[in-house]
Amino acid sequence: MVNEGIDLGGNHPVKDIEITTDFIRLDQVLKLSGLAPTGGQAKLLIQSGRVKVDGVVETHRGTKIRDQNVIAVNDEHVFRVVKRLDSQRRG
């Protein structure tokens, strides 16, 4: 689930991507965000060097993304992964 988030001080607002597990793979984050409709497109985007995790270029699609990691694509689409606890589950 993607929610509108806050601005972390950059030029672009941060959108939250909620997970219920301890981690999610980077390519899965891109698919959930809507920036990559397929795993193949996510792989190409990541391998092109246009994806950063916490400000560092990441080229491995299987990288484990955890609670509070920030993913930026082309330095304009910014997402923060947020682990939602079971008690925070929406109806």
Side-chain angles (χ1 to χ4, degrees):
M1 173 181 283
V2 178
N3 293 319
E4 292 298 323
I6 59 169
D7 188 336
L8 290 179
N11 294 329
H12 305 284
V14 176
K15 295 180 180 178
D16 288 343
I17 295 181
E18 294 181 353
I19 62 172
T20 57
T21 57
D22 288 336
F23 67 87
I24 184 171
R25 288 191 346 239
L26 180 56
D27 61 341
Q28 293 173 322
V29 172
L30 296 180
K31 289 192 300 185
L32 281 176
S33 74
L35 289 178
T38 68
Q41 289 175 333
K43 177 183 175 181
L44 292 174
L45 191 61
I46 293 164
Q47 289 180 339
S48 72
R50 296 167 27 200
V51 178
K52 293 180 181 177
V53 177
D54 293 334
V56 178
V57 173
E58 181 54 67
T59 58
H60 299 93
R61 71 180 185 171
T63 297
K64 292 179 181 178
I65 304 301
R66 299 180 189 278
D67 184 42
Q68 300 303 311
N69 282 145
V70 175
I71 293 87
V73 180
N74 295 327
D75 288 326
E76 53 186 73
H77 302 284
V78 183
F79 304 92
R80 177 181 50 208
V81 172
V82 178
K83 184 174 180 183
R84 185 178 64 198
L85 303 175
D86 287 337
S87 63
Q88 295 172 324
R89 229 172 250 219
R90 295 180 181 172

